[in-house]
C-alpha cells in the first residue's frame, strides 16, 4: 500500500512539472514576441528614440535659422546708413548748373527749361515761388530773374561763368515778425557795406566790402545755405553822392531801389535813392505801378497767411544821412524811417 501511494505522488509531480514547463515556454514565447518581433518593445523604444533625436535635430536647425536671420538683420542695421531725403534745393542747384551752361538763357529771359544731369526735367519761370526753411519754418521765395548777378567765384558751376544762374527774393520775411534794424545807431554812413544788417545776415565780423568765405549769421539757419552763391552787390556809400557807388560781396542782401523801380524823384534817381545800385530785375520789370504808388506786387508779409509790413532796401534815403529806404506795407517806395527803426527782412540770394 505504501509503495503504490509513492508512485502516485511522483506522477502528480511530473505532470505539474510538464505543465510548468509548458507555461514557461508560452511565457517565453510571449516575451520573445514582445521583445524581438515586428512590434516588439525594443523596436518601439528604438523608434521613439529615433523620433526624439530627429525632433531635437529639427528644432536645433530651426533655432539656427532664426539666429542667422536675426544676425543678418542686425548686421544690416549696423552697416547700412539710413536713407536721408534729399534737400529739395539740391535739385535747384543742379538746375542752376544746367542754366549756367545754357547760352540761350540771358538776363532778359523769362523762362528756363531743360534736363539735369540726373535726367530731371525742369521748367522755371520768373515769378515762380519756391519754399525754403528758416529755423525749421517755411518761407516763400520768388524767382527774380536769370543770369542777373555777378559771381564772386566764377567756378561754382564748374568751368568759368560770370553770372549767377537764378536770383531769388524772400516773399515772406525771412525772420517772420522779428523785424530788424539796418543799424544799431541812427545813420546810413558808408551805406549798405557798413550796416549791422549786412553783418547779421552774412555773419561778417566787419564791414569789409570784399568779405569772402562761407555764409553765416542769420543765413546759417537756412536749409539751402550750402547752395547759395556769393555775388557782387553795388551800394551807395554816401547817401547824397551819386559817385560814391562801391561793391561788396554777399550771400544775402537787401534789394536796392534801382533793382525794383526804374524811376525816381528826379532824373537819374530810383525811388528816393540818388542813383542806381544795379539793374532792375526781370520780375520787377513786369511791375507797372510807379515807384511811389501802391503795388500788391511789391507787398511782403510775415508769412503766407501773415500780415503785410514795410521791408528794408539797402539804398540810403537821399535827403538824410540817418535813413534807409523801405517799401511800405502797401507796396510804395518810402524813406521816412530812421536806420535804427525796425522793418521786415526780405533778402535776395542766388543759386
Amino acid at each position: 500500500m505504501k509503495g503504490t501511494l509513492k508512485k502516485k505522488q511522483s506522477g502528480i509531480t511530473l505532470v505539474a512539472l510538464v505543465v510548468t514547463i509548458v507555461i514557461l515556454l508560452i511565457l517565453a514565447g510571449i516575451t520573445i514576441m514582445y521583445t524581438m518581433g515586428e512590434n516588439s518593445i525594443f523596436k518601439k523604444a528604438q523608434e521613439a528614440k529615433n523620433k526624439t533625436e530627429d525632433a531635437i535635430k529639427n528644432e536645433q536647425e530651426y533655432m539656427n535659422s532664426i539666429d542667422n536671420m536675426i544676425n543678418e538683420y542686425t548686421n544690416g542695421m549696423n552697416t547700412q546708413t539710413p536713407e536721408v531725403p534729399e534737400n529739395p534745393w539740391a535739385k535747384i542747384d543742379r538746375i542752376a548748373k544746367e542754366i549756367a551752361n545754357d547760352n540761350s538763357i540771358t538776363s532778359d529771359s523769362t523762362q528756363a527749361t531743360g534736363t539735369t544731369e540726373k535726367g530731371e526735367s525742369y521748367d522755371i519761370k520768373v515769378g515762380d515761388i519756391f519754399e525754403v526753411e528758416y529755423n525749421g519754418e517755411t518761407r516763400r521765395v520768388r524767382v527774380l530773374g536769370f543770369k542777373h548777378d555777378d559771381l564772386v567765384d566764377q567756378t561754382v558751376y564748374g568751368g568759368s561763368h560770370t553770372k549767377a544762374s537764378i536770383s531769388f527774393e524772400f516773399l515772406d520775411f525771412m525772420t517772420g515778425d522779428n523785424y530788424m534794424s539796418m543799424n544799431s545807431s541812427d545813420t546810413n554812413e558808408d551805406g549798405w557795406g557798413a550796416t549791422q544788417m549786412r553783418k547779421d545776415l552774412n555773419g561778417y565780423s566787419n564791414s569789409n566790402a570784399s568779405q569772402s568765405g562761407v555764409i553765416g549769421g542769420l543765413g546759417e539757419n537756412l536749409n539751402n545755405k550750402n547752395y547759395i552763391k556769393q555775388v557782387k552787390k553795388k551800394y551807395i556809400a554816401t547817401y547824397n553822392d551819386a559817385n560814391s557807388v562801391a561793391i561788396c560781396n554777399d550771400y544775402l542782401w537787401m534789394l536796392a531801389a534801382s533793382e525794383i523801380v526804374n524811376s525816381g524823384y528826379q532824373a537819374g534817381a530810383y525811388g528816393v535813392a540818388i542813383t542806381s545800385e544795379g539793374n532792375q530785375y526781370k520780375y520787377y520789370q513786369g511791375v507797372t505801378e510807379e515807384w511811389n504808388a501802391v503795388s500788391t506786387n511789391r507787398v511782403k508779409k510775415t508769412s503766407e497767411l501773415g500780415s503785410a509790413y514795410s521791408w528794408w532796401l539797402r539804398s540810403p534815403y537821399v535827403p538824410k544821412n540817418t535813413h534807409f529806404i523801405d517799401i511800405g506795407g502797401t507796396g510804395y517806395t518810402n524813406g521816412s524811417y530812421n536806420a535804427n527803426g525796425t522793418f521786415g527782412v526780405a533778402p535776395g540770394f542766388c543759386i
Side-chain angles (χ1 to χ4, degrees):
M1 289 296 292
K2 291 180 181 178
T4 303
L5 181 57
K6 185 177 182 179
K7 286 182 180 179
K8 186 176 180 179
Q9 289 173 341
S10 298
I12 292 169
T13 301
L14 182 59
V15 171
L17 179 60
V18 171
V19 171
T20 299
I21 292 170
V22 170
I23 291 171
L24 290 173
L25 289 173
I26 292 171
L27 291 173
I30 292 171
T31 301
I32 291 170
M33 181 180 68
Y34 279 103
T35 57
M36 304 298 291
E38 183 68 24
N39 296 314
S40 66
I41 293 173
F42 290 137
K43 186 161 186 174
K44 293 295 184 183
Q46 185 64 42
E47 288 178 355
K49 177 176 176 292
N50 292 341
K51 288 180 179 180
T52 300
E53 290 177 347
D54 288 344
I56 292 172
K57 182 180 178 181
N58 290 338
E59 183 177 6
Q60 187 61 49
E61 290 177 350
Y62 175 74
M63 294 303 296
N64 288 340
S65 68
I66 294 296
D67 286 342
N68 291 336
M69 188 183 304
I70 293 173
N71 288 335
E72 288 177 3
Y73 179 74
T74 54
N75 288 339
M77 289 180 63
N78 292 333
T79 58
Q80 295 180 3
T81 303
E83 186 175 348
V84 178
E86 183 182 58
N87 187 318
W89 284 89
K91 179 180 177 180
I92 297 176
D93 187 56
R94 290 192 290 271
I95 293 171
K97 290 178 181 178
E98 297 299 326
I99 291 174
N101 293 307
D102 188 342
N103 293 329
S104 68
I105 299 174
T106 69
S107 61
D108 198 45
S109 298
T110 59
Q111 184 176 13
T113 59
T115 305
T116 70
E117 59 186 4
K118 284 194 171 185
E120 305 155 308
S121 60
Y122 60 87
D123 182 358
I124 297 180
K125 300 178 181 66
V126 170
D128 280 353
I129 295 173
F130 293 84
E131 291 183 344
V132 65
E133 288 186 4
Y134 176 76
N135 279 348
E137 295 183 356
T138 300
R139 298 284 183 262
R140 296 174 301 157
V141 295
R142 178 164 54 201
V143 175
L144 288 175
F146 305 106
K147 295 184 178 179
H148 183 102
D149 289 295
D150 294 325
L151 287 167
V152 173
D153 181 356
Q154 298 184 0
T155 67
V156 290
Y157 302 120
S160 179
H161 303 280
T162 60
K163 297 289 186 179
S165 292
I166 314 173
S167 297
F168 294 85
E169 67 170 344
F170 273 80
L171 182 54
D172 302 324
F173 299 144
M174 189 180 83
T175 56
D177 59 3
N178 180 26
Y179 307 130
M180 299 178 66
S181 301
M182 286 293 283
N183 271 323
S184 56
S185 58
D186 187 15
T187 179
N188 58 26
E189 184 178 1
D190 294 326
W192 164 252
T195 59
Q196 185 62 45
M197 176 73 76
R198 177 173 178 257
K199 298 174 190 177
D200 290 341
L201 285 176
N202 293 278
Y204 299 158
S205 59
N206 56 57
S207 61
N208 183 1
S210 61
Q211 179 78 37
S212 62
V214 296
I215 189 171
L218 297 177
E220 184 69 23
N221 298 316
L222 294 169
N223 75 329
N224 64 343
K225 64 177 182 178
N226 293 329
Y227 307 103
I228 295 178
K229 308 300 187 287
Q230 192 180 37
V231 294
K232 302 175 183 179
K233 301 305 294 185
K234 294 180 180 180
Y235 67 96
I236 299 168
T238 303
Y239 70 103
N240 60 357
D241 184 356
N243 296 315
S244 68
V245 175
I247 295 175
C248 59
N249 301 335
D250 290 334
Y251 292 96
L252 298 171
W253 66 89
M254 296 293 100
L255 273 68
S258 62
E259 293 174 333
I260 296 176
V261 299
N262 62 2
S263 60
Y265 74 103
Q266 67 177 26
Y270 295 86
V272 280
I274 195 167
T275 190
S276 172
E277 298 159 279
N279 296 329
Q280 192 178 27
Y281 281 104
K282 192 66 178 177
Y283 170 78
Y284 283 109
Q285 290 176 18
V287 178
T288 58
E289 294 86 0
E290 286 297 314
W291 64 273
N292 56 352
V294 168
S295 172
T296 57
N297 293 305
R298 294 193 288 254
V299 170
K300 296 189 179 182
K301 301 180 178 180
T302 55
S303 64
E304 183 173 3
L305 300 178
S307 302
Y309 200 69
S310 299
W311 50 284
W312 286 116
L313 302 183
R314 70 175 184 271
S315 307
Y317 180 50
V318 66
K320 295 184 177 181
N321 62 358
T322 54
H323 290 46
F324 280 90
I325 301 173
D326 68 277
I327 300 294
T330 57
Y332 63 92
T333 308
N334 187 32
S336 59
Y337 291 94
N338 295 0
N340 61 353
T342 55
F343 286 147
V345 179
F349 65 90
C350 291
I351 299 293

